[in-house]
């Protein structure tokens, strides 16, 4: 089923939007992705773009969080999960949206941050919590991982590698030597990848994918 649908390829766009008003809709118009993975979306500013069965979101009462939008097919098997570890202050928990489209499971991930201590184990716990609700098969696990160091990324890679994912693409965060944003793929071939600047402090990425 998914080989028939995805064999010709899909374009995935992912970006931490920094709560910039209307930015998700703007990126969808600009890059025309089949799937848009949003972190730190400002949902209330996006009009009706994220209404209906082709979208899913895990957002706060203010409309901030993660979201997934499909340009054509409805999203199915939607799962929403928050980090098991609260951020400093004990209130905010980073939010993750998981959904399936065209036979591929997509994860829009905004990882545990942990400022000012940046605890590696708590980031891994967040990744593991998301992996625990996923189903087998082709998957894209992408977004802002808040990997503040090589130690963070190596620890995350262990969990994701154990679940069958490979790190396919990392893209730079302006002014930092080490990237925060990554895309991990399982049973998916990355045909092409690029990144772009936008109104957010993060750069976004375009992934051209097909199933293996």
């Amino acid at each position: 089923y998914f080989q028939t649908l995805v064999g010709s390829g899909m374009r995935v766009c992912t970006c931490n939007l920094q709560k910039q008003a209307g930015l998700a809709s703007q990126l969808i118009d600009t890059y025309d992705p089949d799937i848009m993975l949003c972190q730190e979306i400002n949902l209330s500013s996006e009009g009706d773009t994220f209404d209906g069965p082709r979208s899913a979101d895990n957002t706060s009462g203010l409309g901030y969080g993660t979201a997934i939008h499909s340009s054509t097919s409805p999203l199915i098997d939607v799962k929403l999960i928050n980090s098991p570890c609260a951020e400093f202050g004990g209130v905010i928990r980073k939010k993750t949206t998981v959904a399936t489209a065209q036979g591929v499971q997509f994860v829009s991930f905004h990882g545990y941050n942990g400022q000012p201590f940046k605890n590696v184990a708590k980031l891994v716990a967040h990744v593991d919590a998301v992996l625990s609700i996923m189903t087998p098969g082709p998957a894209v696990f992408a977004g802002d991982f808040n990997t503040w160091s090589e130690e963070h990324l190596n620890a995350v890679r262990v969990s994701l590698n154990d679940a069958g994912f490979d790190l396919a693409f990392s893209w730079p965060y302006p002014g930092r030597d080490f990237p925060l944003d990554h895309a991990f793929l399982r049973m998916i071939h990355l045909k092409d990848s690029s990144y772009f600047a936008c109104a957010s402090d993060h750069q976004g990425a375009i992934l051209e994918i097909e199933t293996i």
Side-chain angles (χ1 to χ4, degrees):
Y1 170 68
F2 59 78
Q3 288 180 332
T4 300
L5 286 175
V6 188
S8 59
M10 296 176 71
R11 173 178 293 172
V12 179
C13 179
T14 179
C15 189
N16 180 320
L17 305 166
Q18 199 195 9
K19 304 175 185 172
Q20 296 291 323
L23 183 53
S25 300
Q26 177 187 326
L27 296 179
I28 290 169
D29 289 342
T30 300
Y31 295 103
D32 192 28
D34 297 290
I35 299 291
M36 180 77 203
L37 306 178
C38 305
Q39 304 90 50
E40 284 203 89
I41 192 171
N42 182 345
L43 194 66
S44 62
S45 72
E46 298 292 348
D48 60 1
T49 302
F50 285 82
D51 293 343
R54 291 188 291 110
S55 297
D57 68 271
N58 187 2
T59 52
S60 68
L62 295 175
Y64 303 137
T66 57
I68 299 175
H69 174 76
S70 170
S71 64
T72 54
S73 61
L75 298 176
I76 62 171
D77 196 23
V78 174
K79 300 176 181 179
L80 310 179
I81 184 169
N82 296 346
S83 170
C85 305
E87 297 293 330
F88 185 73
V91 177
I92 295 173
R93 293 175 185 264
K94 290 289 192 286
K95 298 169 173 58
T96 301
T97 304
V98 182
T100 298
Q102 300 187 47
V104 177
Q105 194 166 36
F106 292 93
V107 178
S108 181
F109 184 73
H110 189 197
Y112 173 83
N113 192 323
Q115 296 280 15
F117 305 110
K118 304 174 182 175
N119 185 287
V120 173
K122 291 182 178 181
L123 174 59
V124 172
H126 187 186
V127 170
D128 287 344
V130 176
L131 290 171
S132 74
I133 66 167
M134 296 184 69
T135 53
V140 176
F141 195 129
D144 174 9
F145 282 75
N146 280 315
T147 46
W148 294 104
S149 69
E150 189 169 359
E151 180 187 2
H152 284 79
L153 180 56
N154 287 342
V156 164
R157 288 180 75 166
V158 169
S159 287
L160 284 157
N161 288 167
D162 285 348
F165 286 89
D166 291 315
L167 178 59
F169 188 49
S170 301
W171 55 103
Y173 179 91
R176 284 190 56 83
D177 292 334
F178 203 79
L180 302 175
D181 303 279
H182 313 278
F184 289 82
L185 305 180
R186 181 173 67 191
M187 298 172 64
I188 294 283
H189 171 61
L190 181 64
K191 296 195 297 182
D192 195 17
S193 57
S194 59
Y195 61 90
F196 58 85
C198 60
S200 172
D201 60 340
H202 285 253
Q203 299 187 106
I206 301 291
L207 313 172
E208 304 283 355
I209 64 169
E210 61 186 2
T211 54
I212 295 174

